[in-house]
Amino acid sequence: MLQSLDRINNRLNRILQLVYLNFLWGGLVIAGLGVFTFGPATYAMVAVIRKQLRSEESFPLTKTYFAYFKESYRETLFMSWIYGIVGVILFVDLSFVHNWYLRMALLAVAFLYLLSALYIFPIMAHYNWKGYFFKIKMAFLFGFSQLHYSLVLMVSLAGIYLVIFQIMPGVLTFMGGSFFFFAVTWTANQIFYRLEWKNSYIEKTEENKKIIQLVKEKIYEKSNARKIRS
């Protein structure tokens, strides 16, 4: 009974934290007119959610959020500008191009752009890689290599937000942004765990092979020594 109450309490606390994060994020985005704070505010939200998912220890939410906000302000700001400019160009092209072949090509490019945009902030929060275009490329590769996860994520989010918008649009005020980025960060985190497990398995396998090879060499050396003695 007590364990069930603890679980319910933890889940309610997590929901309240998402509501609080949503207001922090929304307030900073509005304060910077979107242009100057969207990237850093979104990065900070994703980094905090990642920390919550990967650690069971409690930490000060506001202090941690603003620490992440300041941590990579310039880099995340420029990254948001890059994606924003590309997104505007694609939107304008799709609005005015009526040639069927060009439109299909633009839709394909727009889909690849969305794949990269979904994972760019989780990748920036998880990996300490250098270079804007390298991170953009890796975000695309993550999204494309795990296409089944990406498609499920896109379809699920589209369906959930469509239902919320029709039934309870007021919920979007409290969790419209934080729930979206929680879902994205959770999905990215599952991919990261899977890749980390694969890498550790490969490393262990290679290490075991080296140990077996070393043992065989030692046995061979001992057998040769016995033959020499005899």
Side-chain angles (χ1 to χ4, degrees):
M1 183 67 179
L2 290 174
Q3 290 180 349
S4 300
L5 289 173
D6 286 338
R7 288 175 186 173
I8 293 170
N9 184 55
N10 289 333
R11 288 174 183 174
L12 289 174
N13 283 333
R14 186 61 60 88
I15 291 170
L16 288 174
Q17 287 173 353
L18 286 177
V19 172
Y20 182 62
L21 279 175
N22 191 73
F23 281 109
L24 275 178
W25 173 78
L28 285 171
V29 170
I30 293 170
L33 303 175
V35 179
F36 300 104
T37 50
F38 177 81
T42 303
Y43 168 80
M45 179 187 284
V46 169
V48 168
I49 292 171
R50 174 189 172 275
K51 189 176 179 69
Q52 288 176 331
L53 291 172
R54 287 191 161 243
S55 175
E56 295 182 357
E57 298 179 0
S58 60
F59 55 89
L61 201 63
T62 306
K63 184 178 178 181
T64 306
Y65 182 88
F66 281 102
Y68 283 127
F69 180 83
K70 296 174 184 177
E71 180 183 73
S72 302
Y73 179 86
R74 183 178 296 179
E75 185 182 24
T76 52
L77 178 64
F78 288 159
M79 189 66 79
S80 66
W81 286 356
I82 292 170
Y83 275 93
I85 291 168
V86 174
V88 168
I89 292 171
L90 285 172
F91 178 78
V92 171
D93 287 343
L94 285 169
S95 299
F96 292 98
V97 171
H98 299 291
N99 182 280
W100 189 86
Y101 295 102
L102 285 176
R103 197 169 181 80
M104 288 300 103
L106 284 171
L107 285 172
V109 173
F111 177 72
L112 299 178
Y113 163 82
L114 285 175
L115 280 180
S116 181
L118 270 178
Y119 295 104
I120 187 62
F121 288 113
I123 278 179
M124 292 180 74
H126 191 77
Y127 294 104
N128 192 26
W129 289 331
K130 303 296 181 183
Y132 291 97
F133 293 103
F134 179 76
K135 291 177 181 178
I136 291 171
K137 181 182 74 173
M138 293 306 297
F140 162 72
L141 290 175
F142 266 83
F144 193 75
S145 63
Q146 306 293 329
L147 192 58
H148 51 300
Y149 284 108
S150 304
L151 290 174
V152 169
L153 175 63
M154 288 179 178
V155 173
S156 299
L157 284 173
I160 290 170
Y161 275 84
L162 182 63
V163 170
I164 291 174
F165 186 76
Q166 290 180 346
I167 298 175
M168 297 179 295
V171 174
L172 297 176
T173 306
F174 298 95
M175 295 181 63
S178 58
F179 176 77
F180 177 87
F181 289 110
F182 175 83
V184 171
T185 307
W186 184 88
T187 304
N189 202 46
Q190 299 306 307
I191 296 172
F192 296 151
Y193 270 128
R194 186 181 177 191
L195 293 174
E196 288 166 7
W197 180 83
K198 280 187 176 180
N199 289 334
S200 64
Y201 177 77
I202 291 170
E203 288 174 1
K204 286 180 181 179
T205 305
E206 290 178 352
E207 187 178 349
N208 289 337
K209 286 180 180 178
K210 289 180 182 178
I211 293 171
I212 292 169
Q213 183 63 31
L214 184 63
V215 170
K216 286 181 178 179
E217 288 175 358
K218 293 296 181 182
I219 293 172
Y220 181 74
E221 287 174 3
K222 285 184 179 180
S223 61
N224 282 342
R226 285 169 187 166
K227 287 179 182 178
I228 291 169
R229 288 175 186 173
S230 60

